[in-house]
């Protein structure tokens, strides 16, 4: 038989000096991982009604810049190496691995530069998962804005993806129609994701 609590719902008084019926309180949901003996807070509903999930898988990482990665149709896997946060430690380099089956929300941005005359006329950003690939941006890279004689462009994207536990996700960029001179700028390269349900 089990002698320890494996899960609990706690009702917590938030006010340091409660009075009468004016008492602020939170509801705290605790669970226990099978690999550990201690409980952890899975969800909190605070006295304002806001809901937080401190163990919910989520990450944000910034990319690494590199010159001449595509432009001739080469499919380039974007590199991410500066983690801003990684709740659950599910991000390894540029690849996210789903810890549980569910729906995940992914977002990102890609900044490209080249010194081309507009010949790079087709490009796409793709979220590649184990189950399927999602073309999240498709457009004419030759129509990018001009800045100081260099064509530069920041493209942002967002999508939902269903993933099974153990599935992976990464991001690719392919630009065609010209030479392999499209550069990736680290300042505008981000990849993030979180479990939504």
């Amino acid at each position: 038989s089990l002698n320890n609590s494996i899960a609990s719902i706690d009702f917590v008084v938030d006010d340091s000096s409660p009075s009468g019926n004016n008492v602020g309180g939170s509801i705290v949901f605790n669970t226990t991982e099978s690999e550990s003996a201690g409980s952890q807070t899975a969800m909190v509903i605070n006295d304002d009604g806001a809901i937080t999930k401190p163990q919910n898988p989520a990450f944000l990482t910034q990319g690494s810049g590199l010159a001449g990665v595509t432009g001739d149709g080469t499919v380039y896997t974007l590199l991410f190496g500066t983690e801003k946060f990684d709740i659950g430690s599910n991000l390894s380099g540029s690849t996210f691995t789903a810890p549980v089956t569910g729906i995940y929300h992914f977002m990102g941005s890609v900044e490209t530069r080249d010194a081309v005359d507009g010949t790079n006329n087709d490009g796409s950003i793709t979220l590649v998962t184990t189950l399927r690939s999602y073309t999240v941006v498709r457009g004419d890279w030759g129509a990018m804005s001009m800045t100081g004689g260099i064509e530069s462009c920041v493209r942002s994207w967002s999508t939902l993806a269903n993933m099974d536990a153990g599935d992976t996700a990464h991001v690719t960029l392919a630009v065609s129609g010209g030479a392999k001179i499209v550069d990736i700028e680290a300042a505008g390269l981000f990849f993030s994701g979180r479990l939504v349900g």
Side-chain angles (χ1 to χ4, degrees), residues 52-141:
T52 59
K53 300 175 183 177
Q55 306 301 325
N56 204 49
F59 72 92
L60 171 64
T61 183
Q62 186 173 5
S64 303
L66 193 62
V69 298
T70 187
D72 61 350
T74 297
V75 177
Y76 174 71
T77 298
L78 296 172
L79 299 178
F80 299 91
T82 305
E83 287 185 10
K84 302 301 182 180
F85 59 84
D86 182 12
I87 299 172
S89 300
N90 302 300
L91 185 69
S92 177
S94 303
T95 302
F96 170 78
T97 301
V100 296
T101 298
I103 304 298
Y104 290 80
H105 180 216
F106 293 101
M107 299 174 62
S109 66
V110 178
E111 181 178 4
T112 57
R113 287 177 182 254
D114 59 36
V116 54
D117 58 4
T119 59
N120 289 322
N121 55 14
D122 187 42
S124 62
I125 300 169
T126 304
L127 174 72
V128 180
T129 72
T130 303
L131 293 174
R132 65 184 52 86
S133 294
Y134 303 82
T135 301
V136 291
V137 174
R138 184 82 186 238
D140 184 352
W141 253 247

Side-chain angles (χ1 to χ4, degrees), residues 144-175:
M144 295 184 295
S145 60
M146 292 290 288
T147 305
I150 299 175
E151 292 190 14
S152 64
C153 179
V154 177
R155 308 244 177 169
S156 299
W157 58 273
S158 172
T159 193
L160 292 171
N162 62 311
M163 300 181 74
D164 293 332
D167 284 355
T168 61
H170 66 274
V171 186
T172 65
L173 169 70
V175 180

